[in-house]
Amino acid sequence: IKPKPTIFMIFGGTGDLAERKLIPALYNLFLEKYMPKEFAIIGLGRTEYNDDSFKKLLLGGVNKFSRSGKADKDKWADFSKHITYLKSDVNNEADYKKMSDVIEKCEKDWSEPPIIIHYLAVAPKFFPIIAGNLAKVKLADDTDRTRIVIEKPFGHDLQSAKELNALLKGIFAETQIYRIDHYLGKETVQNMLAFRFANALFEPIWNRNFIEHVQISVTEDIGVEDRGGYYDGSGALRDMVQNHILQVLCLVAMEPPVNFDAEEIRNRKVDVLRAMRQFGPDEVRFNTVRGQYSEGWVKGEKVEGYREEKGVDPESNTETFAALKFFIDNWRWQNVPFYVRTGKRMHQKASIISIQFKDVPHLIFPNQSSESWQQNRLIISIQPEMSIRLQVQAKRPGLDMTLNPVDMVFNYDGTYETDTPEAYETLLLDAMKGDQTLFMRGDQVETAWDLIMPVLENWESKKSISFPNYSADSWGPETAEALIAKDGFHWFTMP
Ligand code: NAD
């Protein structure tokens, strides 16, 4: 079903996110005929542009970042007819009047009243200002047709997230608020729902009786690049764990929903967060590890340590690595550890969920070396490889009974010919259609903040004396290995 006529008001239309993600996503939706016949993209920003120079800027972004490669001349011409630029300052109330004039014109000319999506691709300090000004000029009132998309980060801690939620909810209904976590738009992450709830095979074993532990690992090989100034006030817990990793964890751990309604799915996800065991001082001490990268060598090139990066305090206490052991206190997951880790400047870029099943109850095969023995494991690789692997033991061909682990693999690239859409394509289309399933609800965000606050507060109040404690191109601090090794496990890495 095609969405209704839509107006995208992109605040921060000249910014990096618009250029790199939003416009390429809308262009690909246009190429694949998902865009409605009537749509308008209104770029908003302070910089001086006219429509032509703005379109030129965006074309550069599409050529560079779109999954469909360089834009076709005619198709871009068709698409870009829908784009205009409106120079405006988010602080200036009069500029919002200009926005409503543009909207009114579309309403007059089009066949039916459009959906209006205010996309806030600007720094978080502007979120309250924009929301407030939209309310003043009555661009927020229509609960059916008006939506607001909020980029990450949603709050800096529990208190600020609560304040932002309260402010937004004073202006918009929850059904109008789309809090983006782009991880939820990724194919492999969405496939978690299909995999768990469309196959009879896994449901009976998806619990503490069969699963020994779960790992979620999101490692990046890059450092902070030019985001040092921002990152130093944030850190790995805020940037990755509070949002992306906990959202993925919810999909792994949630109870089966009774239907595919957005509210039902979001209820089941928030149930998981509410059941997660709170961290007391002992848990922070024994179940968490933080790290910060030092200089090192990556592919033969010397790279700087975190404290030497541009915009970073030379004595920074900010973590670029975090590993935590969580428990979910409900019947399904009692005593099953969920280990999560994330870090920058790690040896490999990979986002992986690993579900390790309990060992066989009795071993009948003689002479198995411990190296070749591996418990069953389900590996869901989110990126860069998009695959699901089931690791099982099999007999190695030969005259004696020797076992070795083999993978049953479902790989997206080999299975489907079509290119997988980018996360932002999925999410923008959902926002147009009014489907909130893959967006975070207000209570979900607050519960996730609530969970990590004791760790954040502990880490921020105690300066780490060991920083920097891992070198670039490594697997993080040694203590992260110890966190999981003391329970008899190892972090899984892709071969
Ligand atoms: P950016 O600095 O590249 O762009 C900021 C935009 O805001 C520019 O278009 C600028 O003109 C506009 N702006 C600044 N002050 C303004 C004012 N007073 N009035 C009107 N416009 C003003 O930032 P970005 O990287 O595009 O990030 C935007 C948001 O998206 C941030 O919240 C960021 O955390 C989030 N985000 C970005 C990325 C990314 O890949 N860039 C990824 C995830 C989330």
Side-chain angles (χ1 to χ4, degrees):
I1 320 156
K2 269 201 180 169
K4 293 184 174 163
T6 305
I7 301 174
F8 274 96
M9 306 290 290
I10 305 187
F11 293 83
T14 57
D16 181 68
L17 182 72
E19 193 185 339
R20 189 188 286 267
K21 297 286 182 191
L22 304 182
I23 300 300
L26 290 169
Y27 177 61
N28 283 322
L29 287 172
F30 176 79
L31 290 185
E32 302 204 349
K33 308 208 179 333
Y34 284 104
M35 292 303 280
K37 214 166 128 240
E38 291 164 318
F39 74 93
I41 297 168
I42 319 231
L44 306 161
R46 273 185 317 175
T47 324
E48 200 67 58
Y49 280 103
N50 59 32
D51 287 352
D52 284 342
S53 55
F54 181 56
K55 287 180 196 182
K56 211 166 151 199
L57 170 85
L58 300 184
L59 176 61
V62 167
N63 285 339
K64 204 158 153 202
F65 301 114
S66 165
R67 70 178 166 91
S68 55
K70 256 183 131 177
D72 173 271
K73 202 163 163 253
D74 293 340
K75 290 189 174 132
W76 174 259
D78 286 346
F79 174 73
S80 62
K81 275 184 207 143
H82 299 263
I83 300 176
T84 48
Y85 183 70
L86 198 60
K87 183 172 179 277
S88 55
D89 188 325
V90 297
N91 299 298
N92 185 0
E93 218 182 301
D95 286 344
Y96 291 77
K97 180 72 187 75
K98 290 196 262 173
M99 295 173 207
S100 43
D101 291 346
V102 177
I103 292 172
E104 255 173 46
K105 181 160 179 351
C106 295
E107 283 174 337
K108 223 180 269 157
D109 295 350
W110 289 1
S111 59
E112 59 177 307
I115 303 292
I116 300 152
I117 298 178
H118 302 294
Y119 199 114
L120 274 48
V122 289
K125 66 175 179 200
F126 293 131
F127 298 166
I129 298 166
I130 296 174
N133 279 327
L134 288 173
K136 279 192 200 147
V137 292
K138 307 247 171 293
L139 280 178
D141 291 356
D142 191 326
T143 49
D144 283 338
R145 290 201 293 120
T146 317
R147 292 163 201 165
I148 186 164
V149 181
I150 307 280
E151 262 298 334
K152 84 170 216 189
F154 196 93
H156 186 70
D157 51 21
L158 178 60
Q159 185 58 29
S160 54
K162 276 184 168 170
E163 282 165 14
L164 182 56
N165 265 336
L167 182 128
L168 290 172
K169 285 179 184 178
I171 298 171
F172 298 93
E174 180 64 35
T175 50
Q176 292 176 277
I177 308 171
Y178 289 68
R179 299 173 191 80
I180 285 250
D181 185 327
H182 74 275
Y183 252 66
L184 294 177
K186 289 183 186 288
E187 275 296 328
T188 11
V189 173
Q190 288 180 70
N191 204 16
M192 197 68 218
L193 289 169
F195 198 70
R196 282 193 59 196
F197 304 124
N199 296 297
L201 187 65
F202 296 105
E203 194 274 334
I205 56 171
W206 209 262
N207 56 48
R208 71 186 183 290
N209 298 322
F210 295 89
I211 292 177
E212 191 168 63
H213 79 271
V214 176
Q215 294 179 23
I216 301 172
S217 171
V218 178
T219 54
E220 296 178 281
D221 52 1
I222 53 171
V224 287
E225 305 200 297
D226 52 3
R227 290 171 69 228
Y230 162 75
Y231 194 89
D232 208 34
S234 174
L237 260 188
R238 287 193 173 91
D239 200 46
M240 279 286 181
V241 179
Q242 185 274 340
N243 38 38
H244 309 318
I245 289 183
L246 285 179
Q247 288 295 319
V248 170
L249 187 149
C250 284
L251 291 172
V252 175
M254 70 197 265
E255 293 300 309
V258 295
N259 56 36
F260 204 63
D261 287 351
E263 281 321 287
E264 173 64 11
I265 304 237
R266 300 198 301 173
N267 282 339
R268 296 294 76 81
K269 283 171 66 186
V270 98
D271 284 349
V272 176
L273 291 171
R274 286 176 38 233
M276 289 178 77
R277 194 176 299 167
Q278 284 283 339
F279 285 88
D282 277 352
E283 280 85 12
V284 176
R285 207 157 120 225
F286 296 118
N287 292 347
T288 73
V289 168
R290 55 176 158 162
Q292 191 188 71
Y293 62 83
S294 62
E295 60 178 22
W297 292 86
V298 178
K299 295 188 186 102
E301 264 187 47
K302 184 104 192 275
V303 296
E304 282 179 330
Y306 177 68
R307 289 177 176 186
E308 286 77 58
E309 302 269 21
K310 203 168 137 236
V312 173
D313 176 354
E315 290 180 22
S316 175
N317 189 42
T318 302
E319 79 286 356
T320 60
F321 175 97
L324 299 96
K325 177 173 158 186
F326 290 110
F327 285 102
I328 302 171
D329 285 330
N330 62 17
W331 276 42
R332 184 181 293 275
W333 296 116
Q334 197 54 230
N335 291 332
V336 178
F338 282 69
Y339 303 96
V340 311
R341 73 168 170 181
T342 183
K344 290 196 175 289
R345 276 270 182 254
M346 306 272 290
H347 180 60
Q348 199 177 52
K349 172 186 163 71
S351 300
I352 301 163
I353 305 165
S354 155
I355 291 153
Q356 182 162 314
F357 293 92
K358 290 190 172 167
D359 209 352
V360 293
H362 169 60
L363 192 58
I364 59 167
F365 303 99
N367 309 325
Q368 288 308 311
S369 72
S370 57
E371 294 91 73
S372 70
W373 188 253
Q374 204 172 75
Q375 289 163 234
N376 295 151
R377 200 154 34 188
L378 184 67
I379 310 295
I380 298 157
S381 176
I382 299 169
Q383 65 183 25
E385 180 181 303
M386 300 205 299
S387 65
I388 299 180
R389 304 162 173 262
L390 186 60
Q391 295 191 334
V392 294
Q393 293 282 354
K395 181 188 174 301
R396 188 200 293 264
L399 296 179
D400 54 359
M401 191 66 185
T402 307
L403 305 183
N404 71 326
V406 293
D407 284 359
M408 292 155 77
V409 185
F410 153 54
N411 200 324
Y412 277 66
D413 285 346
T415 310
Y416 299 113
E417 279 180 11
T418 49
D419 224 3
T420 47
E422 283 270 345
Y424 274 96
E425 291 170 42
T426 306
L427 298 173
L428 288 172
L429 183 61
D430 284 355
M432 280 192 271
K433 288 180 175 167
D435 182 347
Q436 292 188 301
T437 312
L438 300 178
F439 293 85
M440 296 186 295
R441 209 169 55 189
D443 55 343
Q444 233 176 342
V445 179
E446 287 182 20
T447 317
W449 274 119
D450 193 32
L451 181 69
I452 69 154
M453 279 319 289
V455 186
L456 261 183
E457 279 165 1
N458 183 295
W459 288 1
E460 284 181 351
S461 65
K462 292 189 187 129
K463 204 162 164 62
S464 169
I465 46 162
S466 60
F467 278 3
N469 59 355
Y470 71 97
S471 63
D473 200 28
S474 74
W475 281 112
E478 278 173 15
T479 40
E481 195 55 47
L483 173 79
I484 189 165
K486 69 183 178 212
D487 296 338
F489 311 128
H490 295 285
W491 291 107
F492 173 80
T493 51
M494 289 298 269

